[in-house]
Amino acid sequence: MEPTGSISPDHLNALYVITHANIVVRLVLAGLGIASIWSWTVIIEKAVRFTGLNSFANRFENEVGSGRSLEDIAAAAGDAPRQALPRMLQAALREWRDARAKGLLSGGNAEAQTAFLIQRIDRVLDSVIARESQKVETGLSLLAIVATASPFIGLFGTVWGIMSSFQSIATEKNTNLAVVAPGIAEALFATAIGLAAAIPAYIAYNKFSGDAAKYTARLEGFADDLVTAIQRRLAERA
């Protein structure tokens, strides 16, 4: 930051502050800018992803509740569905078919084998839910880091800018506004950019953390419904 003999409003606009700030403050501003862009990339990706996940889940749950055969719904989803709900349905039906093909659901030990089958289905579905939960939570840690670290990084730039102003006063031996204003401006600008990066990341982190928890609960509810449907089939065969 180079002190000038006089200042004008143009000297205090954002572009001038960025281009004329000292190297440390410029590095701080650049880092905060990158963090903000990064967090907004995650925010947009998460917004699109959760919208798509919930939209598909609504359609799939409606299909399952329509009375259509679960086998037909599972077959229509393809061999390697990308969404969690059809994978859960296929996994549950696969365990049930394997047990039936091996004759484990009939005979004198049928009751114990049935209980064991339900436990296996529970474990398989829990595994799918755990993997899907990890996927939907990916990127949230970045938002948390940006939300918590950005204000402190901006504060560091603020402190450095104020120190620069004091150095200018000492060098110029003058407390005129023209001497201190540029340093104060870049100091406050660093604070503003830190908050501008932190606030959206903080709001988005809380929003998407709630969305991830709701989606996981939705998968768990669907798993419970599947287990109930399998148990109903087993009861009908008894």
Side-chain angles (χ1 to χ4, degrees):
M1 186 267 300
E2 297 179 358
T4 59
S6 62
I7 60 172
S8 68
D10 290 339
H11 292 166
L12 301 180
N13 66 41
L15 181 60
Y16 184 90
V17 170
I18 293 172
T19 55
H20 289 78
N22 66 62
I23 184 63
V24 174
V25 176
R26 267 186 279 180
L27 288 174
V28 168
L29 295 176
L32 290 173
I34 293 171
S36 181
I37 293 172
W38 200 0
S39 66
W40 273 106
T41 301
V42 174
I43 289 170
I44 294 171
E45 187 273 334
K46 287 298 176 188
V48 173
R49 181 172 179 79
F50 278 116
T51 299
L53 287 174
N54 287 311
S55 177
F56 179 86
N58 288 335
R59 294 195 303 269
F60 194 80
E61 287 175 347
N62 289 335
E63 281 190 57
V64 172
S66 66
R68 184 182 171 193
S69 168
L70 294 181
E71 284 80 1
D72 291 342
I73 296 174
D79 295 332
R82 297 177 58 187
Q83 298 283 352
L85 295 183
R87 291 204 310 272
M88 293 169 66
L89 175 59
Q90 291 178 351
L93 292 177
R94 184 165 52 248
E95 293 293 332
W96 181 71
R97 285 195 299 265
D98 288 347
R100 187 178 61 177
K102 294 175 181 178
L104 301 178
L105 304 180
S106 58
N109 202 27
E111 186 174 346
Q113 291 296 332
T114 296
F116 183 65
L117 170 63
I118 296 301
Q119 291 178 358
R120 284 211 324 264
I121 292 175
D122 277 333
R123 287 197 295 269
V124 169
L125 296 181
D126 286 344
S127 177
V128 175
I129 292 171
R131 287 195 298 270
E132 192 66 19
S133 296
Q134 289 180 343
K135 288 180 182 179
V136 298
E137 290 174 0
T138 301
L140 294 183
S141 59
L142 171 65
L143 294 179
I145 291 171
V146 173
T148 55
S150 293
F152 295 102
I153 296 173
L155 181 60
F156 172 76
T158 299
V159 172
W160 197 274
I162 293 174
M163 290 172 55
S164 178
S165 293
F166 283 123
Q167 290 172 353
S168 298
I169 292 173
T171 301
E172 298 291 323
K173 296 181 174 56
N174 187 356
T175 58
N176 189 283
L177 184 62
V179 174
V180 300
I184 297 298
E186 67 187 50
L188 296 177
F189 193 70
T191 299
I193 295 299
L195 293 175
I199 292 172
Y202 177 79
I203 294 172
Y205 173 78
N206 285 280
K207 164 69 165 61
F208 294 134
S209 293
D211 289 346
K214 290 178 182 177
Y215 186 70
T216 299
R218 187 171 195 172
L219 295 182
E220 291 172 349
F222 185 76
D224 291 340
D225 292 341
L226 280 180
V227 171
T228 300
I230 297 295
Q231 288 175 324
R232 187 180 301 114
R233 288 191 175 192
L234 295 172
E236 291 172 353
R237 290 172 56 87

